[in-house]
Amino acid sequence: MKILFIISTPGGTSILLPLAAACRRKGVEWGAFFTNDGVRLLASDDVADALRCARKVVVCEHSWARFMAGESCPQTLGSQTQNSILVGEADHVISL
């Protein structure tokens, strides 16, 4: 995977969406890991649309339970171990 986006704040939308669109246009393989209150972005239709082009998306299970309790997670739940694996697979990491 060329780029991994680590999203840890809800303010990451304004950066994630244009970068994801640029990756799609250029055929760049990318993935995302959502943690902390950045998991709230997964409720956005725009983010859901952008993630359809991602190679892999993982959501921190602990953060999901903390900030989105009672909601069904639309992506794969995982842990910081999966985050570490994704970092190891990525050529570049961008933290939002």
Side-chain angles (χ1 to χ4, degrees):
M1 168 174 34
K2 191 72 171 170
I3 300 172
L4 172 66
F5 297 106
I6 299 176
I7 302 94
S8 61
T9 65
T13 305
S14 62
I15 299 169
L16 176 63
L17 294 179
L19 288 176
C23 287
R24 183 180 58 233
R25 283 191 308 274
K26 295 294 184 179
V28 174
E29 188 176 73
W30 64 279
F33 184 83
F34 289 82
T35 190
N36 198 39
D37 60 345
V39 299
R40 293 179 176 167
L41 293 181
L42 295 166
S44 161
D45 290 338
D46 291 338
V47 171
D49 287 342
L51 293 177
R52 289 190 183 108
C53 297
R55 177 177 160 248
K56 191 174 232 179
V57 179
V58 179
V59 179
C60 175
E61 186 172 25
H62 175 75
S63 295
W64 186 265
R66 182 174 176 208
F67 294 102
M68 300 295 284
E71 299 294 323
S72 177
C73 185
Q75 299 290 336
T76 302
L77 287 170
S79 68
Q80 293 299 325
T81 300
Q82 279 79 28
N83 184 23
S84 297
I85 292 167
L86 290 172
V87 167
E89 293 175 353
D91 293 336
H92 303 281
V93 177
I94 298 174
S95 181
L96 308 175

